[in-house]
Amino acid sequence: MEGLRWRTILAALGVAASIVWVLPNVVNFGEKSWWPSKQKLNYGLDIQGGLHLVMGVDVDGVVKESTTRLIGSMKAEMQKENVAVADVKSEKPEQGEVQFVVAKAEDRAGVEKFLSEKYSTVLQVISSTDTTVTARYFDAYLNDYKNRVIQQAIETIRNRIDEFGVAEPSITQQGANRILIQLPGMADAERAKQLINTTAKLDFMIVSDEVQPQALQAMIADAEKAGNYTMASMKYTDYVAKVNEDLKGKIPEKTTVYFEKSANATTMEAGAIPYLLKTDTNLGGDALDDAFVGYDQYGAPQVSLRFNSAGAAKFADITGNNVNRQMAIVLDKIVKSAPSIRDRIAGGEAVITLGSARDRNSGMDEAKMISTALRAGALPASLEQLEERRVGPTLGADAIDKAKMGSYVGALIIVLFMIVYYRSMGAVASVALGLNVLGIFALLTSFGATLTLPGIAGIALTVGFAVDANVLINERIREELRLGHGIRVAVKEGYHRAMSAIIDSNVTVAATAVVLLYFGTGPVRGFAVTLLIGIVTSMFANVFVSKVIVDTLVYKFNLKKLSV
């Protein structure tokens, strides 16, 4: 009897804890309420509605940028080690291809030796002539690099969305260069979408004085006229790419053209100021330690930047070597400001000014958006929105109502069958079944899991196989009663003999659920999670609690007969 008392206490505590966790889902407790649990169950995109986005990742652009940086560093290394080479260039930088040009055929061996000693794990020689050696990234290295770019982009997007607290966003890789983003909840999702589309790729670039501003504007106007396009007729990023492609050969190497919006213009198209910028500065957002909203001397919002130790040293060197020149602060290929460098800046701090031709609220919103994006991490590649679908909450409500109805009907049929077929023990099994479902929702809530339609299907399936344990137990009790044993012996032996079969069946289901959880994505994982939770609650409710109920009836209330 002492053991029964402790088991009863444990069962009561488990049921009470389940009620504590579940109740906030049906009763709206305030923040200052005495109720110990305030957490509610999260609902997936297919239930509460939200946004479904597919973003394209410019992986080739990152490879191109990486190849350009590699060429710069190899030039410096080869010069330092006295490797005879006339030029290092790339005609296909987006494919990671590098071409070495030598003046004499005998110099080719020195280049090949340099590559084998310094870059044997990165570059492979694919062809050579008397005066050229062409190398390219190893396929394995390139594939791994592209995959890391995608994973870094996913992690950065997740960090940004977490800033706004969107409950359980789903962010997964789709194919070689796409990211699938599902954001439950319409209001938060809209704000998060705006933040996602702010790629926040920050660069600090020296303004080149090799072409005068008037001449640069004339060259851009000629390119627009020849190509029959304008900034107003294209996306900004496409326009910038087109202009730089058309000006190739007319502007110096290692330079690019970006634009700044005039302070008095409402849009970029209405007042774009072109800048010719050097591309070999190699100082970007990855060198930042922090970004936050600050204020200038007139109280206007601005974004204050603080570099890490390596970035601060590099920033100091760049400003020291370019005194009396302009340094452009470029965000997503848009020049935010281009202040003149008066002296070497050794403090490791800078600011992004947002201009004064705007109301304070919009300026503050933009400053917050930029600082949040930079603080959460600059995306390694630019994103392009390829698809957007909105799942309305009405559709989600209709789907969950039908899923609920299916679960209710299934549970009712099971309860009726158990009571009709097993009578008293069937009633005990039905009570345990209710506690089982209560436990599932309690654990889902406490874990902060997201309930989706596949998850509801998993719960419905759990309701189906949860009574399997009670069926085994009841059949064993029947066998013991047929052998002439009393009710106490029959109950004890029935639970004991059925336990091995119950454990075997639950272990096999758990193994299947673990495989689904490990290899599956999205809905499959949701289904697997509810299955695993259902196994735990089934063992507690349908085995442990049901035995406590039966033992209480038999031992405490001295029941002599129990219909099975």
Side-chain angles (χ1 to χ4, degrees):
M1 291 295 291
E2 183 69 19
L4 175 60
R5 187 166 72 89
W6 283 110
R7 285 189 287 123
T8 303
I9 292 173
L10 187 59
L13 288 175
V15 174
S18 298
I19 294 173
V20 167
W21 276 322
V22 167
L23 210 55
N25 292 297
V26 293
V27 178
N28 189 19
F29 294 103
E31 288 296 323
K32 296 182 180 179
S33 171
W34 57 270
W35 196 258
S37 175
K38 307 292 190 305
Q39 191 171 0
K40 294 185 178 181
L41 186 63
N42 298 317
Y43 294 105
L45 186 71
D46 48 4
I47 293 176
Q48 67 168 319
L51 286 179
H52 171 105
L53 302 173
V54 177
M55 310 296 291
V57 185
D58 183 19
V59 178
D60 289 341
V62 179
V63 174
K64 181 178 180 180
E65 187 176 331
S66 172
T67 306
T68 303
R69 288 199 305 267
L70 180 65
I71 288 173
S73 63
M74 285 196 297
K75 279 184 177 179
E77 283 186 70
M78 296 176 89
Q79 184 178 4
K80 184 179 179 180
E81 298 191 12
N82 297 318
V83 178
V85 63
D87 193 17
V88 183
K89 59 182 182 179
S90 177
E91 296 180 355
K92 300 176 182 178
E94 68 281 353
Q95 298 179 13
E97 191 171 293
V98 182
Q99 191 175 62
F100 302 85
V101 181
V102 294
K104 298 176 291 186
E106 52 265 29
D107 294 336
R108 191 183 67 191
V111 172
E112 292 177 345
K113 181 181 178 183
F114 170 81
L115 290 175
S116 65
E117 290 179 352
K118 300 287 186 179
Y119 295 91
S120 59
T121 61
V122 178
L123 295 170
Q124 59 178 333
V125 176
I126 57 173
S127 65
S128 59
T129 65
D130 289 341
T131 56
T132 63
V133 176
T134 304
R136 189 170 60 197
Y137 286 127
F138 280 103
D139 289 342
Y141 177 87
L142 191 59
N143 291 335
D144 179 67
Y145 182 69
K146 289 181 177 180
N147 186 62
R148 280 189 282 117
V149 169
I150 295 286
Q151 295 305 316
Q152 185 181 342
I154 289 174
E155 189 61 31
T156 302
I157 291 172
R158 192 182 304 279
N159 290 339
R160 292 183 180 186
I161 292 174
D162 286 346
E163 291 271 346
F164 283 115
V166 177
E168 293 296 324
S170 174
I171 308 168
T172 55
Q173 183 174 345
Q174 190 178 62
N177 59 354
R178 293 186 179 188
I179 297 175
L180 172 63
I181 306 168
Q182 292 184 323
L183 307 175
M186 296 300 290
D188 288 340
E190 282 294 338
R191 297 168 63 201
K193 173 192 167 187
Q194 183 183 1
L195 186 58
I196 290 169
N197 287 327
T198 304
T199 54
K201 191 173 187 306
L202 182 68
D203 291 292
F204 296 85
M205 308 174 80
I206 299 299
V207 178
S208 174
D209 55 6
E210 296 174 78
V211 179
Q212 294 301 311
Q214 295 85 355
L216 182 61
Q217 286 182 329
M219 293 165 63
I220 293 171
D222 291 341
E224 287 182 343
K225 186 176 180 181
N228 192 26
Y229 63 90
T230 63
M231 185 182 290
S233 64
M234 305 175 66
K235 285 175 56 179
Y236 175 77
T237 52
D238 294 338
Y239 172 80
V240 169
K242 179 67 174 171
V243 165
N244 281 283
E245 182 182 345
D246 291 344
L247 295 183
K248 195 172 183 180
K250 298 178 183 178
I251 58 176
E253 289 188 7
K254 296 183 180 179
T255 61
T256 188
V257 177
Y258 291 153
F259 297 84
E260 178 186 21
K261 183 168 72 68
S262 174
N264 297 318
T266 55
T267 63
M268 178 69 82
E269 296 83 5
I273 304 172
Y275 283 88
L276 184 65
L277 307 174
K278 292 182 174 293
T279 58
D280 56 357
T281 308
N282 292 331
L283 180 62
D286 55 345
L288 288 182
D289 200 26
D290 195 10
F292 52 92
V293 177
Y295 302 93
D296 63 15
Q297 57 183 331
Y298 303 107
Q302 63 185 18
V303 180
S304 299
L305 309 174
R306 185 181 298 123
F307 293 96
N308 55 33
S309 56
K314 197 167 189 178
F315 187 65
D317 290 341
I318 292 172
T319 53
N321 295 332
N322 293 279
V323 174
N324 295 326
R325 300 183 68 177
Q326 286 178 283
M327 171 181 275
I329 300 175
V330 182
L331 189 70
D332 297 335
K333 300 184 179 180
I334 297 174
V335 178
K336 286 296 181 180
S337 56
S340 295
I341 302 172
R342 301 302 182 192
D343 201 354
R344 182 175 184 270
I345 303 174
E349 295 185 355
V351 296
I352 300 176
T353 57
L354 304 177
S356 57
R358 67 183 71 225
D359 65 86
R360 183 178 177 84
N361 288 335
S362 64
M364 180 61 74
D365 289 342
E366 183 176 355
K368 287 181 179 178
M369 190 68 69
I370 291 172
S371 62
T372 300
L374 292 174
R375 188 170 57 251
L379 285 163
S382 59
L383 300 180
E384 180 184 4
Q385 187 171 310
L386 302 177
E387 180 186 346
E388 176 179 341
R389 291 206 309 266
R390 295 170 183 267
V391 180
T394 303
L395 175 63
D398 181 62
I400 193 171
D401 286 343
K402 290 183 178 179
K404 281 181 178 178
M405 182 57 67
S407 299
Y408 294 155
V409 171
L412 180 61
I413 293 173
I414 291 172
V415 169
L416 289 175
F417 171 79
M418 293 298 290
I419 292 176
V420 170
Y421 194 75
Y422 290 112
R423 301 179 185 177
S424 299
M425 287 299 293
V428 172
S430 299
V431 171
L433 182 62
L435 295 177
N436 184 12
V437 175
L438 179 70
I440 291 174
F441 282 105
L443 287 179
L444 285 173
T445 303
S446 64
F447 291 157
T450 299
L451 182 63
T452 60
L453 289 180
I456 294 176
I459 294 173
L461 181 61
T462 301
V463 170
F465 72 69
V467 294
D468 176 59
N470 289 101
V471 169
L472 290 171
I473 292 167
N474 291 342
E475 291 297 330
R476 284 291 188 179
I477 292 175
R478 276 184 173 180
E479 289 180 9
E480 295 299 324
L481 290 174
R482 288 193 196 105
L483 294 174
H485 294 144
I487 187 64
R488 293 189 178 188
V489 175
V491 168
K492 181 181 177 181
E493 291 299 317
Y495 275 91
H496 176 71
R497 293 179 182 277
M499 191 54 63
S500 61
I502 293 171
I503 291 174
D504 287 345
S505 62
N506 280 279
V507 166
T508 54
V509 173
T512 304
V514 168
V515 172
L516 291 176
L517 186 65
Y518 184 79
F519 291 103
T521 58
V524 175
R525 290 173 65 89
F527 180 76
V529 167
T530 52
L531 273 184
L532 286 172
I533 291 176
I535 291 169
V536 174
T537 56
S538 293
M539 292 297 291
F540 174 76
N542 293 75
V543 177
F544 181 76
V545 175
S546 71
K547 189 168 193 304
V548 168
I549 295 173
V550 174
D551 283 349
T552 301
L553 293 173
V554 171
Y555 291 98
K556 191 168 184 180
F557 293 97
N558 219 8
L559 196 68
K560 300 297 183 182
K561 186 177 180 182
L562 193 63
S563 57
V564 182

